[in-house]
Amino acid sequence: MTLTSTRSRTLGAATTATLTLTLLGGCGGGNAATIPDGWATLDTKSVSVGYPEDEGYDPQPAAERGRANAAVALKEEKGVRTGMVSVQLDFATGVSDAGEAAAAAGAGIGLGATRKETRDVRLAGAESARDARRIDYEFTSTGEESTPPKGTRMTGVVVTGVDSKGTPFAIRLNAMKSSLPPAGLETFTHSITVK
């Protein structure tokens, strides 16, 4: 419990610093997102996104991740996947804006998930592609395929949009609710740069 509380405070402090820098510096066209200390970046041809490396997240080799994912960072504890950041590109057809991308990505959230909020966000990066949509949700772990024990409450966020070349993207963060404060979801969102 103490370790989780310390990590939550650390993530919260990083969030405050990130949000302050983002607001002071702005997210003008071409600017990259601010990545807090202790975080690393997953980089793809359409987007880059931060993940909390100091919290135990590690990039997954291409040979091990699903074909639908362009990049993944996993947090595993004793063989259990307690957190995941993933990037999917070109995941739907006929998508031309953030709203359409959100509709397509939202359909994949899954039965049994509870949507908490959907809102428009502005990302760092290419001016023509900064408009995005964020969906917050919660769900219960099934305990299957190396996930936390059945019944564990999980939290998630997916940020969707279309890059400057018209390619739709969906960036997800799923983690045990007890390990990720709401401020961590804000830091995650503000770590995204669209190309």
Side-chain angles (χ1 to χ4, degrees):
M1 290 243 182
T2 304
L3 184 57
T4 299
S5 298
T6 302
R7 287 182 175 174
S8 295
R9 283 195 300 273
T10 301
L11 194 52
T15 299
T16 301
T18 301
L19 292 177
T20 301
L21 287 171
T22 300
L23 292 173
L24 290 175
C27 286
N31 289 346
T34 302
I35 305 298
D37 289 341
W39 283 48
T41 304
L42 293 175
D43 194 36
T44 72
K45 65 181 182 179
S46 293
V47 295
S48 64
V49 58
Y51 64 91
E53 184 177 44
D54 63 351
E55 295 289 325
Y57 284 76
D58 291 309
Q60 186 180 39
E64 295 177 17
R65 63 179 181 249
R67 291 186 345 187
N69 293 319
V72 173
L74 294 175
K75 179 178 182 179
E76 294 185 328
E77 300 175 84
K78 297 180 180 178
V80 176
R81 189 177 68 229
T82 59
M84 180 174 76
V85 174
S86 65
V87 180
Q88 291 183 320
L89 303 178
D90 210 10
F91 66 95
T93 58
V95 171
S96 61
D97 61 30
E100 293 172 348
I109 288 176
L111 296 174
T114 303
R115 289 193 192 200
K116 295 296 190 178
E117 181 182 17
T118 300
R119 62 185 165 106
D120 293 332
V121 293
R122 291 275 285 167
L123 304 177
E127 185 62 39
S128 65
R130 292 180 59 205
D131 291 331
R133 192 157 289 174
R134 171 178 155 167
I135 304 170
D136 290 70
Y137 56 95
E138 292 183 3
F139 61 101
T140 301
S141 176
T142 62
E144 300 171 356
E145 298 180 5
S146 301
T147 58
K150 184 176 181 178
T152 302
R153 289 302 291 165
M154 307 290 288
T155 190
V157 62
V158 57
V159 178
T160 66
V162 177
D163 73 9
S164 61
K165 295 182 179 178
T167 302
F169 61 83
I171 307 167
R172 296 177 194 272
L173 169 60
N174 291 328
M176 290 173 52
K177 189 174 180 182
S178 61
S179 71
L180 186 64
L185 297 178
E186 292 297 329
T187 300
F188 169 73
T189 302
H190 285 278
S191 77
I192 298 169
T193 300
V194 62
K195 303 174 186 178

